[in-house]
Structure formats: C-alpha cells, structure tokens
Amino acid sequence: TEGTNRVSLKSVFSQFGEVEVCWVPPPNQRNEAYAFIRFKSKDIAALALQACTEGRVFLDGMPLMARARPNNAGPGSKGGKGDGRGGRQRGGRP
C-alpha cells in the first residue's frame, strides 16, 4: 500500500530473524520496483519465504508475496535465487 514503509516491513519480517537490509521503493516507483529484504542467514530467509508462500505473512491486513533473488541483486531489481528477499502485497505492490 502507499502507506507501507521500511520500518513496518522490517518489523513484519523480523519475526523470522535478523534483517540486515530492508528497502521499500518510493510511492512513485512502486509500479516499477519491489521492496527488498536481506536476512542475516539463508536459513532465516528460507523460513520467511516459506511463510510467505503459505500465505502466513501479513502487512496492513494484506498477505505478502516473496521470491528469492541472487545475492548480487540490488534493491528493487528482479531476479532468481539467493538469500535476498523481495516482498510485495498480493494484488499490488507494497
């Protein structure tokens, strides 16, 4: 949603473990880029990804979707597998 910010997104994903990086695109770029979260460990990232896939992670009442990205993918980029996480709300961008 437009009100989503880095603090609220980091808070949601911190339930799985330590978040090293959390980036949310500015509202005017949310049609072009996804939020980005990097966890301290791959194990934590895997738990968060599984919970999102199972529809158990919510922000502002909306379930979040996530996918793994390569380690070298920067904030907002789109990619394949790794320990970084991209998160977005189902049905729209955060």
Short mmCIF file of all heavy atoms in Angstrom, two decimals, residues 16-81:
data_model
loop_
_atom_site.label_atom_id
_atom_site.label_comp_id
_atom_site.label_asym_id
_atom_site.label_seq_id
_atom_site.Cartn_x
_atom_site.Cartn_y
_atom_site.Cartn_z
N PHE A 16 11.10 -13.54 11.85
CA PHE A 16 11.81 -14.74 11.41
C PHE A 16 13.27 -14.74 11.82
O PHE A 16 13.90 -15.78 11.87
CB PHE A 16 11.70 -14.89 9.89
CG PHE A 16 10.28 -15.02 9.44
CD1 PHE A 16 9.62 -13.92 8.90
CD2 PHE A 16 9.59 -16.20 9.60
CE1 PHE A 16 8.30 -14.02 8.50
CE2 PHE A 16 8.27 -16.31 9.21
CZ PHE A 16 7.62 -15.22 8.67
N GLY A 17 13.83 -13.56 12.08
CA GLY A 17 15.23 -13.44 12.45
C GLY A 17 15.77 -12.08 12.04
O GLY A 17 15.01 -11.20 11.61
N GLU A 18 17.07 -11.93 12.15
CA GLU A 18 17.69 -10.62 11.92
C GLU A 18 17.63 -10.21 10.44
O GLU A 18 18.06 -10.94 9.55
CB GLU A 18 19.15 -10.64 12.38
CG GLU A 18 19.78 -9.28 12.34
CD GLU A 18 21.17 -9.26 12.93
OE1 GLU A 18 21.56 -10.21 13.62
OE2 GLU A 18 21.89 -8.25 12.69
N VAL A 19 17.10 -9.02 10.21
CA VAL A 19 17.04 -8.42 8.88
C VAL A 19 18.23 -7.48 8.74
O VAL A 19 18.40 -6.58 9.55
CB VAL A 19 15.71 -7.65 8.68
CG1 VAL A 19 15.72 -6.89 7.36
CG2 VAL A 19 14.52 -8.59 8.76
N GLU A 20 19.08 -7.71 7.74
CA GLU A 20 20.24 -6.85 7.52
C GLU A 20 19.89 -5.61 6.72
O GLU A 20 20.39 -4.53 7.00
CB GLU A 20 21.34 -7.62 6.79
CG GLU A 20 22.05 -8.63 7.65
CD GLU A 20 23.24 -9.23 6.92
OE1 GLU A 20 23.24 -9.32 5.68
OE2 GLU A 20 24.19 -9.61 7.62
N VAL A 21 19.05 -5.78 5.70
CA VAL A 21 18.70 -4.68 4.81
C VAL A 21 17.21 -4.76 4.52
O VAL A 21 16.68 -5.83 4.27
CB VAL A 21 19.47 -4.75 3.47
CG1 VAL A 21 19.04 -3.66 2.51
CG2 VAL A 21 20.97 -4.70 3.70
N CYS A 22 16.57 -3.60 4.54
CA CYS A 22 15.16 -3.52 4.16
C CYS A 22 14.99 -2.23 3.36
O CYS A 22 15.31 -1.15 3.85
CB CYS A 22 14.27 -3.52 5.39
SG CYS A 22 12.52 -3.42 5.00
N TRP A 23 14.50 -2.36 2.15
CA TRP A 23 14.31 -1.20 1.27
C TRP A 23 12.91 -1.25 0.68
O TRP A 23 12.45 -2.31 0.24
CB TRP A 23 15.35 -1.22 0.15
CG TRP A 23 15.23 -0.09 -0.81
CD1 TRP A 23 15.71 1.17 -0.66
CD2 TRP A 23 14.59 -0.12 -2.09
NE1 TRP A 23 15.41 1.93 -1.76
CE2 TRP A 23 14.71 1.16 -2.67
CE3 TRP A 23 13.91 -1.10 -2.81
CZ2 TRP A 23 14.21 1.48 -3.91
CZ3 TRP A 23 13.40 -0.77 -4.05
CH2 TRP A 23 13.56 0.51 -4.58
N VAL A 24 12.23 -0.13 0.70
CA VAL A 24 10.90 0.00 0.09
C VAL A 24 10.99 1.12 -0.93
O VAL A 24 11.45 2.22 -0.60
CB VAL A 24 9.83 0.31 1.16
CG1 VAL A 24 8.47 0.57 0.52
CG2 VAL A 24 9.73 -0.83 2.17
N PRO A 25 10.56 0.87 -2.16
CA PRO A 25 10.64 1.93 -3.17
C PRO A 25 9.73 3.11 -2.82
O PRO A 25 8.71 2.92 -2.16
CB PRO A 25 10.19 1.25 -4.46
CG PRO A 25 9.41 0.07 -4.04
CD PRO A 25 9.94 -0.34 -2.71
N PRO A 26 10.11 4.30 -3.26
CA PRO A 26 9.23 5.45 -3.04
C PRO A 26 7.88 5.20 -3.72
O PRO A 26 7.80 4.46 -4.70
CB PRO A 26 9.96 6.62 -3.71
CG PRO A 26 11.32 6.13 -4.04
CD PRO A 26 11.31 4.64 -4.00
N PRO A 27 6.81 5.81 -3.21
CA PRO A 27 5.48 5.57 -3.78
C PRO A 27 5.40 5.75 -5.30
O PRO A 27 4.72 4.98 -5.97
CB PRO A 27 4.59 6.59 -3.06
CG PRO A 27 5.26 6.79 -1.74
CD PRO A 27 6.74 6.68 -2.04
N ASN A 28 6.14 6.69 -5.84
CA ASN A 28 6.08 6.93 -7.29
C ASN A 28 6.85 5.90 -8.10
O ASN A 28 6.79 5.93 -9.33
CB ASN A 28 6.56 8.34 -7.64
CG ASN A 28 8.02 8.55 -7.32
OD1 ASN A 28 8.60 7.84 -6.51
ND2 ASN A 28 8.61 9.54 -7.94
N GLN A 29 7.55 4.96 -7.46
CA GLN A 29 8.29 3.92 -8.17
C GLN A 29 7.76 2.52 -7.89
O GLN A 29 8.33 1.53 -8.33
CB GLN A 29 9.77 3.98 -7.79
CG GLN A 29 10.45 5.22 -8.25
CD GLN A 29 11.92 5.24 -7.83
OE1 GLN A 29 12.46 4.26 -7.32
NE2 GLN A 29 12.57 6.37 -8.04
N ARG A 30 6.66 2.40 -7.19
CA ARG A 30 6.16 1.08 -6.78
C ARG A 30 5.56 0.28 -7.91
O ARG A 30 5.35 -0.92 -7.77
CB ARG A 30 5.19 1.23 -5.61
CG ARG A 30 5.96 1.71 -4.40
CD ARG A 30 5.16 1.74 -3.16
NE ARG A 30 6.01 2.30 -2.09
CZ ARG A 30 5.61 2.54 -0.89
NH1 ARG A 30 4.37 2.28 -0.55
NH2 ARG A 30 6.44 3.04 -0.01
N ASN A 31 5.32 0.89 -9.04
CA ASN A 31 4.89 0.14 -10.21
C ASN A 31 6.08 -0.44 -10.96
O ASN A 31 5.91 -1.25 -11.86
CB ASN A 31 4.06 1.02 -11.16
CG ASN A 31 2.71 1.33 -10.59
OD1 ASN A 31 2.15 0.55 -9.83
ND2 ASN A 31 2.18 2.49 -10.94
N GLU A 32 7.28 0.01 -10.62
CA GLU A 32 8.50 -0.39 -11.33
C GLU A 32 9.44 -1.25 -10.50
O GLU A 32 10.29 -1.93 -11.05
CB GLU A 32 9.25 0.86 -11.77
CG GLU A 32 8.43 1.79 -12.63
CD GLU A 32 9.03 3.19 -12.72
OE1 GLU A 32 10.17 3.39 -12.27
OE2 GLU A 32 8.34 4.07 -13.21
N ALA A 33 9.33 -1.19 -9.17
CA ALA A 33 10.29 -1.89 -8.31
C ALA A 33 9.57 -2.53 -7.12
O ALA A 33 8.53 -2.05 -6.68
CB ALA A 33 11.35 -0.91 -7.81
N TYR A 34 10.14 -3.62 -6.62
CA TYR A 34 9.62 -4.30 -5.44
C TYR A 34 10.42 -3.90 -4.21
O TYR A 34 11.56 -3.49 -4.30
CB TYR A 34 9.74 -5.81 -5.61
CG TYR A 34 8.92 -6.38 -6.72
CD1 TYR A 34 9.53 -6.97 -7.82
CD2 TYR A 34 7.54 -6.32 -6.69
CE1 TYR A 34 8.78 -7.50 -8.85
CE2 TYR A 34 6.78 -6.85 -7.72
CZ TYR A 34 7.41 -7.43 -8.79
OH TYR A 34 6.66 -7.95 -9.81
N ALA A 35 9.81 -4.11 -3.06
CA ALA A 35 10.54 -3.97 -1.80
C ALA A 35 11.61 -5.05 -1.76
O ALA A 35 11.53 -6.08 -2.43
CB ALA A 35 9.59 -4.10 -0.63
N PHE A 36 12.64 -4.83 -0.94
CA PHE A 36 13.78 -5.73 -0.88
C PHE A 36 14.15 -5.96 0.58
O PHE A 36 14.25 -5.01 1.35
CB PHE A 36 14.96 -5.09 -1.61
CG PHE A 36 16.23 -5.86 -1.52
CD1 PHE A 36 16.50 -6.88 -2.40
CD2 PHE A 36 17.18 -5.54 -0.56
CE1 PHE A 36 17.69 -7.58 -2.33
CE2 PHE A 36 18.37 -6.23 -0.47
CZ PHE A 36 18.63 -7.26 -1.36
N ILE A 37 14.33 -7.23 0.95
CA ILE A 37 14.75 -7.58 2.30
C ILE A 37 15.89 -8.58 2.20
O ILE A 37 15.83 -9.52 1.42
CB ILE A 37 13.60 -8.20 3.11
CG1 ILE A 37 12.49 -7.17 3.27
CG2 ILE A 37 14.08 -8.71 4.46
CD1 ILE A 37 11.24 -7.71 3.85
N ARG A 38 16.94 -8.34 2.99
CA ARG A 38 18.04 -9.32 3.07
C ARG A 38 18.19 -9.71 4.53
O ARG A 38 18.30 -8.86 5.41
CB ARG A 38 19.35 -8.74 2.54
CG ARG A 38 20.46 -9.79 2.53
CD ARG A 38 21.73 -9.32 1.85
NE ARG A 38 22.25 -8.14 2.50
CZ ARG A 38 22.64 -7.04 1.84
NH1 ARG A 38 22.56 -6.98 0.53
NH2 ARG A 38 23.11 -6.01 2.49
N PHE A 39 18.19 -11.01 4.76
CA PHE A 39 18.33 -11.55 6.11
C PHE A 39 19.78 -11.87 6.41
O PHE A 39 20.59 -12.03 5.50
CB PHE A 39 17.48 -12.82 6.25
CG PHE A 39 16.01 -12.56 6.17
CD1 PHE A 39 15.35 -12.66 4.97
CD2 PHE A 39 15.29 -12.20 7.29
CE1 PHE A 39 13.98 -12.42 4.88
CE2 PHE A 39 13.94 -11.96 7.23
CZ PHE A 39 13.28 -12.07 6.03
N LYS A 40 20.07 -12.01 7.69
CA LYS A 40 21.44 -12.32 8.11
C LYS A 40 21.87 -13.72 7.65
O LYS A 40 23.03 -13.94 7.38
CB LYS A 40 21.56 -12.20 9.63
CG LYS A 40 22.96 -12.40 10.12
CD LYS A 40 23.13 -11.99 11.55
CE LYS A 40 24.58 -12.21 11.94
NZ LYS A 40 25.13 -11.09 12.63
N SER A 41 20.92 -14.64 7.55
CA SER A 41 21.29 -16.00 7.12
C SER A 41 20.31 -16.53 6.09
O SER A 41 19.15 -16.13 6.02
CB SER A 41 21.33 -16.95 8.33
OG SER A 41 20.03 -17.37 8.68
N LYS A 42 20.79 -17.48 5.31
CA LYS A 42 19.95 -18.14 4.31
C LYS A 42 18.83 -18.95 4.96
O LYS A 42 17.74 -19.06 4.40
CB LYS A 42 20.80 -19.04 3.41
CG LYS A 42 21.69 -18.26 2.49
CD LYS A 42 22.48 -19.18 1.58
CE LYS A 42 23.38 -18.36 0.68
NZ LYS A 42 24.12 -19.20 -0.27
N ASP A 43 19.11 -19.52 6.14
CA ASP A 43 18.08 -20.30 6.83
C ASP A 43 16.89 -19.43 7.22
O ASP A 43 15.74 -19.83 7.08
CB ASP A 43 18.66 -20.99 8.06
CG ASP A 43 19.65 -22.09 7.73
OD1 ASP A 43 19.61 -22.60 6.59
OD2 ASP A 43 20.48 -22.42 8.60
N ILE A 44 17.18 -18.25 7.73
CA ILE A 44 16.11 -17.31 8.10
C ILE A 44 15.34 -16.89 6.86
O ILE A 44 14.10 -16.84 6.87
CB ILE A 44 16.70 -16.07 8.83
CG1 ILE A 44 17.32 -16.49 10.17
CG2 ILE A 44 15.63 -15.01 9.02
CD1 ILE A 44 18.15 -15.40 10.81
N ALA A 45 16.06 -16.61 5.79
CA ALA A 45 15.41 -16.22 4.54
C ALA A 45 14.49 -17.32 4.04
O ALA A 45 13.37 -17.06 3.58
CB ALA A 45 16.46 -15.88 3.48
N ALA A 46 14.93 -18.57 4.15
CA ALA A 46 14.12 -19.70 3.69
C ALA A 46 12.83 -19.82 4.52
O ALA A 46 11.76 -20.10 3.97
CB ALA A 46 14.93 -20.99 3.77
N LEU A 47 12.93 -19.59 5.83
CA LEU A 47 11.74 -19.64 6.68
C LEU A 47 10.74 -18.55 6.28
O LEU A 47 9.54 -18.79 6.19
CB LEU A 47 12.12 -19.46 8.15
CG LEU A 47 12.84 -20.62 8.83
CD1 LEU A 47 13.28 -20.21 10.23
CD2 LEU A 47 11.93 -21.83 8.89
N ALA A 48 11.24 -17.35 6.06
CA ALA A 48 10.38 -16.23 5.67
C ALA A 48 9.73 -16.50 4.31
O ALA A 48 8.54 -16.25 4.13
CB ALA A 48 11.18 -14.94 5.65
N LEU A 49 10.51 -17.00 3.38
CA LEU A 49 9.98 -17.30 2.05
C LEU A 49 8.87 -18.35 2.12
O LEU A 49 7.82 -18.22 1.51
CB LEU A 49 11.09 -17.75 1.11
CG LEU A 49 10.66 -18.10 -0.31
CD1 LEU A 49 10.01 -16.91 -1.00
CD2 LEU A 49 11.86 -18.59 -1.11
N GLN A 50 9.11 -19.40 2.90
CA GLN A 50 8.12 -20.45 3.05
C GLN A 50 6.83 -19.89 3.66
O GLN A 50 5.73 -20.20 3.22
CB GLN A 50 8.65 -21.59 3.90
CG GLN A 50 7.65 -22.71 4.09
CD GLN A 50 8.20 -23.87 4.89
OE1 GLN A 50 9.35 -23.86 5.32
NE2 GLN A 50 7.39 -24.88 5.11
N ALA A 51 6.96 -19.07 4.69
CA ALA A 51 5.79 -18.49 5.35
C ALA A 51 5.00 -17.60 4.38
O ALA A 51 3.77 -17.63 4.36
CB ALA A 51 6.21 -17.69 6.58
N CYS A 52 5.70 -16.84 3.54
CA CYS A 52 5.02 -16.01 2.54
C CYS A 52 4.32 -16.88 1.51
O CYS A 52 3.17 -16.61 1.14
CB CYS A 52 6.01 -15.08 1.85
SG CYS A 52 6.57 -13.71 2.88
N THR A 53 4.99 -17.91 1.06
CA THR A 53 4.43 -18.82 0.07
C THR A 53 3.16 -19.48 0.61
O THR A 53 2.20 -19.70 -0.14
CB THR A 53 5.46 -19.90 -0.32
OG1 THR A 53 6.61 -19.24 -0.85
CG2 THR A 53 4.92 -20.86 -1.35
N GLU A 54 3.15 -19.76 1.89
CA GLU A 54 2.00 -20.40 2.53
C GLU A 54 0.92 -19.39 2.94
O GLU A 54 -0.09 -19.77 3.53
CB GLU A 54 2.46 -21.21 3.74
CG GLU A 54 3.34 -22.39 3.35
CD GLU A 54 3.97 -23.09 4.54
OE1 GLU A 54 3.82 -22.60 5.69
OE2 GLU A 54 4.63 -24.12 4.32
N GLY A 55 1.14 -18.11 2.67
CA GLY A 55 0.15 -17.09 2.99
C GLY A 55 0.04 -16.76 4.46
O GLY A 55 -1.02 -16.35 4.93
N ARG A 56 1.15 -16.88 5.20
CA ARG A 56 1.13 -16.65 6.65
C ARG A 56 1.77 -15.33 7.07
O ARG A 56 1.92 -15.07 8.26
CB ARG A 56 1.85 -17.80 7.37
CG ARG A 56 1.16 -19.14 7.18
CD ARG A 56 1.81 -20.24 8.01
NE ARG A 56 3.11 -20.62 7.47
CZ ARG A 56 4.26 -20.58 8.16
NH1 ARG A 56 4.29 -20.17 9.40
NH2 ARG A 56 5.39 -20.95 7.59
N VAL A 57 2.15 -14.48 6.12
CA VAL A 57 2.81 -13.20 6.44
C VAL A 57 1.92 -12.07 5.93
O VAL A 57 1.58 -12.02 4.75
CB VAL A 57 4.22 -13.11 5.82
CG1 VAL A 57 4.89 -11.81 6.22
CG2 VAL A 57 5.07 -14.30 6.23
N PHE A 58 1.56 -11.15 6.84
CA PHE A 58 0.64 -10.07 6.51
C PHE A 58 1.22 -8.72 6.89
O PHE A 58 1.95 -8.59 7.87
CB PHE A 58 -0.68 -10.26 7.25
CG PHE A 58 -1.43 -11.48 6.82
CD1 PHE A 58 -1.16 -12.72 7.38
CD2 PHE A 58 -2.42 -11.40 5.85
CE1 PHE A 58 -1.85 -13.85 6.98
CE2 PHE A 58 -3.11 -12.52 5.44
CZ PHE A 58 -2.83 -13.74 6.01
N LEU A 59 0.86 -7.71 6.12
CA LEU A 59 1.19 -6.32 6.43
C LEU A 59 -0.04 -5.49 6.12
O LEU A 59 -0.59 -5.59 5.01
CB LEU A 59 2.39 -5.84 5.59
CG LEU A 59 2.81 -4.40 5.80
CD1 LEU A 59 3.27 -4.16 7.23
CD2 LEU A 59 3.92 -4.03 4.84
N ASP A 60 -0.49 -4.73 7.08
CA ASP A 60 -1.71 -3.92 6.93
C ASP A 60 -2.89 -4.78 6.48
O ASP A 60 -3.70 -4.37 5.65
CB ASP A 60 -1.48 -2.77 5.95
CG ASP A 60 -0.40 -1.81 6.40
OD1 ASP A 60 -0.22 -1.66 7.63
OD2 ASP A 60 0.26 -1.21 5.54
N GLY A 61 -2.97 -6.01 6.99
CA GLY A 61 -4.08 -6.89 6.69
C GLY A 61 -4.00 -7.60 5.34
O GLY A 61 -4.90 -8.35 4.98
N MET A 62 -2.92 -7.34 4.59
CA MET A 62 -2.77 -7.94 3.27
C MET A 62 -1.66 -9.00 3.31
O MET A 62 -0.60 -8.76 3.88
CB MET A 62 -2.37 -6.88 2.24
CG MET A 62 -3.37 -5.75 2.09
SD MET A 62 -4.83 -6.24 1.21
CE MET A 62 -4.14 -6.58 -0.39
N PRO A 63 -1.89 -10.18 2.70
CA PRO A 63 -0.82 -11.18 2.66
C PRO A 63 0.32 -10.72 1.75
O PRO A 63 0.09 -10.09 0.72
CB PRO A 63 -1.51 -12.42 2.07
CG PRO A 63 -2.70 -11.90 1.35
CD PRO A 63 -3.11 -10.62 2.03
N LEU A 64 1.54 -11.00 2.17
CA LEU A 64 2.72 -10.62 1.39
C LEU A 64 3.19 -11.78 0.53
O LEU A 64 3.15 -12.93 0.95
CB LEU A 64 3.87 -10.18 2.31
CG LEU A 64 3.60 -8.95 3.16
CD1 LEU A 64 4.82 -8.65 4.03
CD2 LEU A 64 3.26 -7.76 2.30
N MET A 65 3.67 -11.45 -0.64
CA MET A 65 4.29 -12.43 -1.53
C MET A 65 5.79 -12.17 -1.52
O MET A 65 6.22 -11.03 -1.33
CB MET A 65 3.76 -12.26 -2.95
CG MET A 65 2.30 -12.61 -3.09
SD MET A 65 1.60 -12.23 -4.70
CE MET A 65 2.79 -12.90 -5.84
N ALA A 66 6.57 -13.20 -1.73
CA ALA A 66 8.02 -13.04 -1.76
C ALA A 66 8.62 -14.03 -2.74
O ALA A 66 8.01 -15.04 -3.07
CB ALA A 66 8.61 -13.27 -0.37
N ARG A 67 9.82 -13.71 -3.19
CA ARG A 67 10.58 -14.64 -4.02
C ARG A 67 12.06 -14.43 -3.72
O ARG A 67 12.47 -13.35 -3.32
CB ARG A 67 10.28 -14.46 -5.49
CG ARG A 67 10.73 -13.14 -6.04
CD ARG A 67 10.45 -13.06 -7.50
NE ARG A 67 10.78 -11.73 -7.98
CZ ARG A 67 10.49 -11.32 -9.17
NH1 ARG A 67 9.87 -12.09 -10.00
NH2 ARG A 67 10.83 -10.11 -9.53
N ALA A 68 12.83 -15.47 -3.93
CA ALA A 68 14.27 -15.39 -3.71
C ALA A 68 14.93 -14.67 -4.87
O ALA A 68 14.45 -14.73 -6.00
CB ALA A 68 14.85 -16.80 -3.56
N ARG A 69 16.03 -13.99 -4.57
CA ARG A 69 16.80 -13.29 -5.61
C ARG A 69 18.28 -13.59 -5.41
O ARG A 69 18.70 -13.97 -4.35
CB ARG A 69 16.58 -11.79 -5.50
CG ARG A 69 15.13 -11.42 -5.71
CD ARG A 69 14.98 -9.98 -5.96
NE ARG A 69 15.55 -9.18 -4.90
CZ ARG A 69 15.35 -7.89 -4.79
NH1 ARG A 69 14.61 -7.26 -5.66
NH2 ARG A 69 15.90 -7.20 -3.82
N PRO A 70 19.07 -13.38 -6.45
CA PRO A 70 20.51 -13.64 -6.32
C PRO A 70 21.14 -12.67 -5.32
O PRO A 70 20.63 -11.57 -5.11
CB PRO A 70 21.06 -13.41 -7.73
CG PRO A 70 20.01 -12.69 -8.48
CD PRO A 70 18.70 -12.92 -7.78
N ASN A 71 22.23 -13.11 -4.74
CA ASN A 71 22.93 -12.27 -3.76
C ASN A 71 23.36 -10.94 -4.33
O ASN A 71 23.47 -9.96 -3.62
CB ASN A 71 24.17 -13.00 -3.22
CG ASN A 71 23.78 -14.18 -2.36
OD1 ASN A 71 22.68 -14.24 -1.83
ND2 ASN A 71 24.68 -15.12 -2.24
N ASN A 72 23.64 -10.88 -5.63
CA ASN A 72 24.14 -9.64 -6.22
C ASN A 72 23.03 -8.72 -6.70
O ASN A 72 23.30 -7.67 -7.24
CB ASN A 72 25.10 -9.94 -7.38
CG ASN A 72 24.42 -10.74 -8.48
OD1 ASN A 72 23.29 -11.19 -8.33
ND2 ASN A 72 25.13 -10.94 -9.57
N ALA A 73 21.76 -9.11 -6.51
CA ALA A 73 20.64 -8.25 -6.92
C ALA A 73 20.50 -7.12 -5.91
O ALA A 73 20.45 -7.36 -4.71
CB ALA A 73 19.35 -9.04 -7.00
N GLY A 74 20.44 -5.92 -6.39
CA GLY A 74 20.30 -4.77 -5.51
C GLY A 74 18.85 -4.47 -5.22
O GLY A 74 17.95 -5.11 -5.74
N PRO A 75 18.60 -3.50 -4.36
CA PRO A 75 17.24 -3.12 -4.02
C PRO A 75 16.42 -2.80 -5.26
O PRO A 75 16.86 -2.11 -6.16
CB PRO A 75 17.42 -1.87 -3.16
CG PRO A 75 18.78 -2.03 -2.57
CD PRO A 75 19.59 -2.72 -3.64
N GLY A 76 15.23 -3.37 -5.29
CA GLY A 76 14.29 -3.07 -6.36
C GLY A 76 14.48 -3.86 -7.63
O GLY A 76 13.61 -3.87 -8.48
N SER A 77 15.62 -4.56 -7.78
CA SER A 77 15.82 -5.33 -9.01
C SER A 77 15.03 -6.62 -8.94
O SER A 77 14.54 -7.01 -7.89
CB SER A 77 17.31 -5.62 -9.22
OG SER A 77 17.78 -6.47 -8.20
N LYS A 78 14.91 -7.30 -10.04
CA LYS A 78 14.14 -8.54 -10.08
C LYS A 78 15.07 -9.66 -10.52
O LYS A 78 15.86 -9.49 -11.43
CB LYS A 78 12.96 -8.38 -11.04
CG LYS A 78 12.04 -7.27 -10.60
CD LYS A 78 10.96 -7.00 -11.60
CE LYS A 78 10.13 -5.81 -11.12
NZ LYS A 78 9.09 -5.45 -12.04
N GLY A 79 15.01 -10.82 -9.85
CA GLY A 79 15.94 -11.88 -10.19
C GLY A 79 15.52 -13.23 -9.69
O GLY A 79 14.41 -13.44 -9.27
N GLY A 80 16.47 -14.21 -9.65
CA GLY A 80 16.19 -15.60 -9.38
C GLY A 80 16.34 -16.05 -7.96
O GLY A 80 15.52 -15.74 -7.13
N LYS A 81 17.40 -16.80 -7.61
CA LYS A 81 17.52 -17.40 -6.29
C LYS A 81 18.67 -16.80 -5.51
O LYS A 81 19.62 -16.31 -6.07
CB LYS A 81 17.73 -18.91 -6.42
CG LYS A 81 16.56 -19.60 -7.07
CD LYS A 81 16.80 -21.07 -7.15
CE LYS A 81 15.62 -21.75 -7.81
NZ LYS A 81 15.81 -23.16 -8.00
#
